[in-house]
Structure formats: C-alpha cells, structure tokens
Amino acid sequence: TLTIHLDFTCGIGKVPVPLKVGWKTSGAIHQTLNITNVPRPPISTFKFSQDYDFSKYKMIMFFGDSLLRMMATDSREGRRRKHFFRPNYLYASSVQSHLSLDTLDHWQTHFLHSYNASVHKNWPDVAVIVGSSIWDLCPASLWSSDSNFEPGFLAQGSNFTDHFEACRQLILWIQSTYPGMNIYWRLPTTLHTHRVQCFLASNIDACYRRTMYESRTRVN
C-alpha cells in the first residue's frame, strides 16, 4: 500500500517559489490519498559518479549552510575528524546567512576565519565545495539586516538576480584569493528534516512566517 501525504499546494520543485505574503497558514491541505497494489519500481545498485575524483585532494572543504554539512558528515559534531564521511573532508561551521551582495563580505570573512589556515596547510592539493540555497528561500524578515524588506517576502525577491550576481562575485573572490584552487558549486536539493520551535524564537512572528516555506520533510 502506498500512502501519499500532500503537504503543499504551491508547486514542488519550481524556483522561484510563489511568494506567500498574506497567507494565514503554511498551505498544507491535510489530505491523505491511499493507493493499493502499487507495483514496485525497478531497483538497481547505486553507482558512484566517475566524473570527479575527490580522493586526489589532501583536503576538501565544504563551505555554506547545513546542506553542505550533510555532504561531509552525518553529525552536528562535524568539526570532530572521526565524524566525517572521508578523512580528507572538512566542514567548519554554517555561514548562517543567505548569499546576496549585502552579505558577501560576511561570506568572505567566514571563509577566511574558518578555512584559510587549512588551505595553506594543505596547498596546493585542496578544493572547495560551496553553495547557497536554503537560506535564500526563507522570508527576509528572519534577518534583522533585511529590515528594508516587507515581512513575508523572500530575501532574494522572485527572480534571484541579486543572489546570482553574489554567487558570481563569491567565486571570483575565491579564485583571486586562492589562484588555482578547484571550486565545485553545490546545486540546491531537498533539505534534511527540519524542526522549528517557534515558542523558543526571539521573533515568534518571523518564525511562523518561516514555516510557510518548510514542511516536515523538506524546504520547498
């Protein structure tokens, strides 16, 4: 028996997501569909991609939010070497910020503080996997620095023009700061399970607005 729980009505997987300004709830329709006698889909053995060989690097740094952490470790104690999936992985801490031209300095400072020593220690056999998407899909009102945005609007608006330019600027900065270092960009994917405890938040209203873009199992 296949049970389908419909969480959201706003088009899963479409970017940019609809702006939910004025929504009273998260958009959950609270309906369950039950389908019986569902044939099992074909299952094959997973094969690792041969396009990239990360074993050749002495150090691979994962730079970004918790989505990057989940690539390197399955533990919140990610800075402890024994928890990394591979011995040459390094994840320091989350940037905890969306990526825009206004926050670009914060991203650069975070990288220098968290990874600069490791880059020079393992140079030139180093690479960085970087990406930003999850925080860019949250309402701008989550951050005090974005007070110029109307509550409920995405930090990047509906076209992400500023975000795309900031991504380009960040890559150019890494290339100029560490000439020759290989850079891999992490594209957005489904997020790990999230727990939101709004009763503990300093800004409860902003926390509730955040849940409009999240379900129990993913960020939309």
Side-chain angles (χ1 to χ4, degrees), residues 57-194:
Y57 299 109
K58 291 176 60 178
M59 181 66 68
I60 301 177
M61 297 161 293
F62 293 80
F63 177 46
D65 54 29
S66 57
L67 194 62
L68 275 296
R69 172 175 61 83
M70 298 299 289
M71 288 187 66
T73 174
D74 59 357
S75 170
R76 291 187 178 275
E77 300 294 329
R79 285 173 289 183
R80 298 175 61 182
R81 175 58 50 198
K82 67 177 181 179
H83 291 293
F84 288 110
F85 293 135
R86 295 188 179 184
N88 61 340
Y89 281 5
L90 175 64
Y91 177 86
S93 61
S94 173
V95 179
Q96 295 190 333
S97 171
H98 63 291
L99 178 55
S100 67
L101 294 177
D102 289 338
T103 65
L104 187 58
D105 286 344
H106 168 73
W107 278 69
Q108 295 170 351
T109 300
H110 185 90
F111 189 92
L112 291 173
H113 175 76
S114 303
Y115 297 96
N116 185 63
S118 295
V119 171
H120 291 289
K121 180 180 179 180
N122 296 280
W123 189 264
D125 300 323
V126 293
V128 59
I129 300 177
V130 58
S132 178
S133 57
I134 301 304
W135 287 65
D136 303 284
L137 296 177
C138 290
S141 52
L142 284 178
W143 304 286
S144 58
S145 61
D146 290 329
S147 58
N148 56 312
F149 289 94
E150 291 295 328
F153 279 92
L154 298 180
Q156 298 296 344
S158 60
N159 55 23
F160 291 84
T161 302
D162 181 88
H163 172 68
F164 292 148
E165 177 60 24
C167 291
R168 189 179 74 88
Q169 292 292 337
L170 179 63
I171 293 174
L172 291 175
W173 176 81
I174 296 176
Q175 289 177 329
S176 62
T177 307
Y178 307 100
M181 184 165 70
N182 289 321
I183 304 171
Y184 300 89
W185 190 267
R186 171 68 154 87
L187 294 176
T189 57
T190 302
L191 183 65
H192 52 83
T193 303
H194 236 66

Side-chain angles (χ1 to χ4, degrees), residues 193-197 214:
T193 303
H194 236 66
R195 180 176 61 184
V196 181
Q197 297 177 298
E214 296 180 356

